[in-house]
Amino acid sequence: MHDLLGRRLGNYRLVRLLGYGGFADVYLGEHIHLGTQAALKVLRARLESEEQERFLQEGRTAAHLSHPSIVRVLDFGIEETVPFLVMEYAPHGTLRQRIPQGTRLSIQEILPLVRQLSSALHYAHEQGVIHRDVKPANMLLNQRDEVLLSDFGIAAIAQSVHGLNGKEVTGTAAYMSPEQIQGRALPASDQYSLGVVLYEWLTGDWPFHGSFTEICSQHLTATPPPLHEKRPDIPVAVATVVERALAKDPEQRFVSMQAFSDAFAEAYGNEIAAPDEDEVTLRRSLLTDPTLYADEGSRGASSLPPTMDAPVGGASVGIPSLPVVLSGKKTGVSRRKVIIGAGVALTGAAAIGGATWFLLAHATSHDASEQFTAPPSPTPASTRVPSVGTTVFTYRQHSESVLSLAWSPNGQYIVSGSADTTARVWKTTKDETLYTYRGHAGLLNSIFSVSWERNGKAIASGSSDQTVQIWEAATGNRLTLYQGHAARVLSVAWSPQTTSIASAGADKTVQVWDAFTGKIGAVYHGHTDSVYAVVWSPDGTLIASGSADKTVHVWEAETQQVVAHYQHTDAVYAVAWSPDGTLLASAGADQRIQIWDARTATQQTTLFISTELTAAITALSWSADGKRIASACTDATVSLWDVEAGKLVYTYKEHAAPVYTVAWVPDGPYLASGSADRTVRIWRGR
Ligand code: ATP
Ligand code: MG
């Protein structure tokens, strides 16, 4: 049916074949008036009138599903008896392509996928819709590599379409539940199919093989080879959960997709035992060891609790190799787990740990004059202070968009987080990576936020894998794995005064917890949509959170008492506190930087330039003297504003793609900005 290329179906022109399955071809279509793209699934068979009605019915059902992990159905129709379905175009392929057969994934990689897919199926079941064809080929990836389940109910149509032969549906048979083979699909049938997918991802193999008929008969009667035999290193509890989803009797499976996904997450977390008090004390002392980062000790040392001053012997600290877990106090967010585990073998970091330790410890034992300074320029004429906007350094080691960055407190290092799943720590004068942190490594993980601890010893990173991880800045050894969030973590911030972390994300919560014990201090539930930005007031008493719900909330970290609300006209992506703690700047999709009184929410100034219609402000950074604000924008620029005059003073245009992050060096005239062009650029800001 490739002859359909270039032809028109409904309001779409078919421009390219995207792929084909057992009974349909999928084309990329372009809307003839709007120019927008969509995927058109064109059935190869011509339908009899009775089948047409059924097809329309299925299309209608699918079109009514609205969930972030379900492909949107935009339209459907029948043109000259050729039935077609128009759906959202998913440009990053399928999980079938991304995870080739035979690949084994870690549980950590699987967990976020299980959550997204289960959430989509749970929702559909609540709407009375059974998917009937859960398999990796129907798990698509959008622009941001988020999973989208497609083909809801399509399997029902396939059955009624002529011309299907057994061979073509073998792929699907591998995932089909016994009751569905017998023609009685239930919601629990989708759970069984997802169970087969997990079995495949864990072992690299399907439970059953053979011809279509052979596979079907095994689904009906044969027990799958125990997961453990094929993959001895996975926890028994995890294997048990997957095997329960594969029960022949639907009644024996979990009561819902949500219960299944919860049990999977729980089984993973429970595997790791709780640490004893000594363990926690050791971690604390490691992070507060003055020999590690001799960054003008006065600042941090004065605020340390007495238990933290036991000196630990520098680089030779013995890190127990067994990860340990602490269950968070039950405070309203389910499945909260904190895993504290150093000695996790992190590729790269482990290998160069010793040398890095030395470099960092050595380089930081000097005064502030060693703070980032522009490297000497080759031309004598420009050895004087470079002018505003001069790029003095470019870091090019990331292989995907740079989404987040943070300077070390002494201004000599940067940690940058990327869509390439890594965070990299590097010296700001050398286009080389000191080490790469791979604790969030996983198929589709991006690091949306990084924050450097106030004494420079530890780094916090938040990722689309739904975890926050705390790791030692000098070595990349993981100290804490926090799993309190039920969706992507979008923002992470260390308290400027204590060892508290505030983290926020797509689960709409802001959580305040201790970096070392993982103990929850507070969960803020005030937002009604994803929280993109969380910042502490300089005195550490207040937290400001900005959300896609178009508001910024200011609240007390201890009591969660709301102090102020500020309303934007569109999603808020960035919030910054003035260094003196009186003002807040916030911005986002409405392209306006609002500056307002942090306690009364009274507006002071609005800063804006007319940018592209679709541009959004992604990050804000306030200079240490409080005089300037830098704003990063998806139109590939960074703007510098004079706060008092309320004026634009400079626009930096050296990035070739959207800029996602920007930060002033602590106490200095330079800025670092990170972009979808995969670079971090350091440039003069005043
Ligand atoms: P089956 O015929 O059993 O459903 P399948 O899922 O592989 O198998 P199709 O659903 O017809 O077959 O999809 C064929 C291919 O088209 C997919 O593997 C995918 O590569 C591509 N595709 C499907 N839907 C989309 C979409 N919405 N956006 C982008 N590509 C898509
Ligand atoms: Mg499909």
Side-chain angles (χ1 to χ4, degrees), residues 237-258:
V238 171
T240 310
V241 169
V242 176
E243 282 161 4
R244 184 167 162 197
L246 293 176
K248 305 286 179 212
D249 176 3
E251 294 283 323
Q252 302 294 313
R253 296 174 205 149
F254 293 94
V255 293
S256 68
M257 291 309 302
Q258 186 64 52

Side-chain angles (χ1 to χ4, degrees), residues 367-531:
D367 63 20
S369 64
E370 271 214 9
Q371 192 192 43
F372 178 78
T373 41
S377 166
T379 44
S382 59
T383 50
R384 283 172 297 131
V385 177
S387 57
V388 169
T390 309
T391 305
V392 292
F393 177 75
T394 306
Y395 177 77
R396 302 177 191 274
Q397 303 300 315
H398 280 292
S399 58
E400 278 293 341
S401 300
V402 178
L403 304 173
S404 50
L405 70 83
W407 292 84
S408 66
N410 67 5
Q412 292 184 49
Y413 300 90
I414 281 179
V415 55
S416 47
S418 160
D420 69 9
T421 80
T422 71
R424 291 166 197 253
V425 174
W426 41 280
K427 197 158 164 59
T428 50
T429 46
K430 226 171 173 189
D431 186 15
E432 274 172 19
T433 307
L434 283 176
Y435 68 86
T436 302
Y437 183 73
R438 301 187 197 275
H440 297 283
L443 212 56
L444 314 162
N445 294 337
S446 293
I447 298 176
F448 291 114
S449 185
V450 285
S451 177
W452 210 307
E453 188 253 351
R454 68 190 194 287
N455 297 313
K457 297 187 180 77
I459 291 168
S461 52
S463 150
S464 51
D465 68 5
Q466 313 187 355
T467 72
V468 179
Q469 305 192 10
I470 310 289
W471 31 291
E472 204 175 38
T475 62
N477 280 334
R478 187 166 78 195
L479 302 164
T480 308
L481 169 60
Y482 181 77
Q483 294 187 285
H485 286 281
R488 298 188 293 156
V489 177
L490 300 167
S491 186
V492 174
W494 286 87
S495 155
Q497 304 294 339
T498 68
T499 56
S500 286
I501 298 275
S503 56
D507 65 2
K508 308 171 193 171
T509 68
V510 181
Q511 306 187 14
V512 183
W513 44 280
D514 184 90
F516 311 114
T517 64
K519 216 179 111 192
I520 291 281
V523 180
Y524 182 74
H525 288 287
H527 287 288
T528 58
D529 206 338
S530 297
V531 182

Side-chain angles (χ1 to χ4, degrees), residues 17-28 38-42 44 71-72 86-94 96-97 133 135-141 148 150-151 154-155 158 164 168-169 171-172:
L17 184 72
L18 290 170
Y20 51 88
F23 61 98
D25 298 313
V26 180
Y27 293 89
L28 176 67
L40 278 86
K41 183 162 189 162
V42 185
R44 263 181 238 123
V71 173
R72 268 184 312 131
V86 184
M87 59 186 150
E88 180 182 356
Y89 169 52
H92 285 188
T94 71
R96 173 79 285 149
Q97 296 153 347
D133 197 14
K135 57 177 182 178
N138 284 335
M139 299 168 185
L140 307 177
L141 297 165
L148 300 174
S150 79
D151 287 357
I154 298 289
L164 270 182
E168 281 169 331
V169 288
T172 294

